[in-house]
Amino acid sequence: MDALQAEKAVTSFLENAISGNTEVSQEIVDQVGKDVATAFVKQFSSGARDDFRLRMSNLGKPKCQLWYEKNQPEDKSPLPPQFLMNMILGDIVEAVFKGVLRASGVSFEDNDTVTLDLGDGREPIKGEFDMILNGRVDDVKSASPWSYQNKFIDLKTLSESDTFGYISQLVGYATAANKEVGGWWVINKGNGSFKYVDANSVDTEEQLNKIKDVVDYIEEDKEFERCFAPVEETYYRKPSGNRKLGVTCGFCSFKHKCWPTLQTLPSKVSTAKVKPMVDYVLVAE
């Protein structure tokens, strides 16, 4: 069964479930419970986070962010308390969705740990993929309503703003598992909508070269270099004269270290009653 057939099977199962015409085996129920319990222990009872290392889940991050994580971790902004809640909610969504796949009659290989050998003396990179369906490695992602509607449209759209490196991550998993690249099962955290975003057309060689470039930059302890510049703020498509951080930099936990003049302020151009917060930077001419 391919992804399109699996998507139809899940939709049919959910429609029947609404009508009360489905049954789920105890084996599937137990597996969902086991997966949630494992995730709960991982997030809340596994001790301090490990020291920095390159792994499949961070290979797609900007090199400048990884440089800080390795060399100046003490300058990382503290994560908010809700961070772990968000992480465990994502784990629960994945566990439940896999349970729904099984209950829908979709057969797949479950998550497994793999190692990516990049050659030329590079340190092997380890990671754990989510699933293999029809010989292709897939990831399960819980997404905000905005990301679901505007980011996870197709491979091209995601590649234009792949802030968290999902494409490199998926290619790394598939290459390490010696399987084809699949795609992402994306679940909208706001309303439960789901869809499959195919990544089979990705340029695997290009992504692997990007991964090698990141690994070489970090392993060789090269000098720090910013990957991004501030962007011009606009108002009704006209420049406001202010500079702000781009989306990728805005998510970085080292943005205050990287940009000492950074000030997070209410929008200087918005006329809304509750103004959105914007990361403004003062750039020397």
Side-chain angles (χ1 to χ4, degrees):
M1 183 182 296
D2 62 22
L4 180 59
Q5 293 169 323
E7 195 171 5
K8 290 179 179 178
V10 171
T11 299
S12 177
F13 172 79
L14 293 174
E15 289 172 346
N16 288 327
I18 290 174
S19 302
N21 297 321
T22 57
E23 285 189 21
V24 179
S25 70
Q26 190 60 46
E27 181 181 5
I28 292 176
V29 173
D30 290 343
Q31 184 63 55
V32 172
K34 179 181 177 181
D35 289 345
V36 172
T38 298
F40 198 86
V41 171
K42 179 186 73 175
Q43 297 296 351
F44 298 115
S45 190
S46 58
R49 276 5 186 201
D50 294 334
D51 292 336
F52 172 81
R53 71 183 187 281
L54 287 172
R55 51 192 190 279
M56 220 79 79
S57 59
N58 67 13
L59 280 178
K61 288 183 178 181
K63 293 188 292 185
C64 46
Q65 181 177 347
L66 293 173
W67 188 94
Y68 271 120
E69 289 185 0
K70 178 183 179 181
N71 295 285
Q72 297 183 16
E74 68 279 3
D75 292 317
K76 185 174 185 177
S77 298
L79 294 169
Q82 65 267 27
F83 171 78
L84 281 181
M85 285 300 296
N86 191 48
M87 294 294 289
I88 191 64
L89 287 175
D91 291 335
I92 293 171
V93 168
E94 177 184 338
V96 172
F97 186 75
K98 284 184 176 180
V100 171
L101 282 172
R102 293 186 176 98
S104 304
V106 178
S107 178
F108 61 90
E109 297 176 47
D110 210 345
N111 56 295
D112 196 8
T113 301
V114 291
T115 301
L116 178 63
D117 186 356
L118 296 168
D120 295 328
R122 298 181 182 90
E123 191 72 22
I125 309 297
K126 294 183 178 181
E128 184 177 356
F129 63 77
D130 287 342
M131 58 184 287
I132 296 176
L133 175 65
N134 196 32
R136 301 168 64 186
V137 175
D138 289 339
D139 251 358
V140 181
K141 296 295 183 187
S142 59
S144 68
W146 187 92
S147 292
Y148 185 89
Q149 294 175 1
N150 299 283
K151 192 170 183 177
F152 285 102
I153 297 175
D154 51 32
L155 178 63
K156 181 179 181 297
T157 304
L158 179 59
S159 66
E160 291 170 354
S161 181
D162 190 13
T163 306
F164 299 105
Y166 293 144
I167 298 174
S168 294
Q169 182 181 353
L170 187 63
V171 168
Y173 286 141
T175 302
N178 196 27
K179 301 290 184 180
E180 291 185 31
V181 176
W184 300 274
W185 290 97
V186 189
I187 298 91
N188 186 330
K189 290 187 288 188
N191 61 15
S193 299
F194 73 95
K195 60 185 172 183
Y196 184 78
V197 179
D198 201 318
N200 192 46
S201 62
V202 68
D203 188 331
T204 300
E205 184 176 356
E206 178 185 13
Q207 291 299 321
L208 287 175
N209 286 334
K210 287 181 180 180
I211 291 173
K212 290 176 183 178
D213 182 53
V214 169
V215 172
D216 291 344
Y217 180 79
I218 298 301
E219 288 189 349
E220 294 173 13
D221 290 319
K222 295 183 178 180
E223 291 186 8
F224 174 77
E225 183 179 347
R226 283 189 186 129
C227 302
F228 308 95
V231 298
E232 196 168 44
E233 182 186 51
T234 58
Y235 184 63
Y236 287 105
R237 299 184 180 181
K238 294 182 179 180
S240 69
N242 302 312
R243 297 291 182 91
K244 63 179 184 178
L245 294 186
V247 175
T248 301
C249 289
F251 281 107
C252 181
S253 298
F254 296 94
K255 59 186 180 182
H256 290 280
K257 174 66 178 179
C258 190
W259 297 98
T261 63
L262 173 67
Q263 290 184 307
T264 304
L265 304 170
S267 171
K268 296 180 179 180
V269 297
S270 173
T271 58
K273 187 174 182 180
V274 179
K275 300 179 185 296
M277 301 301 288
V278 177
D279 288 326
Y280 288 106
V281 291
L282 176 63
V283 182
E285 298 295 338

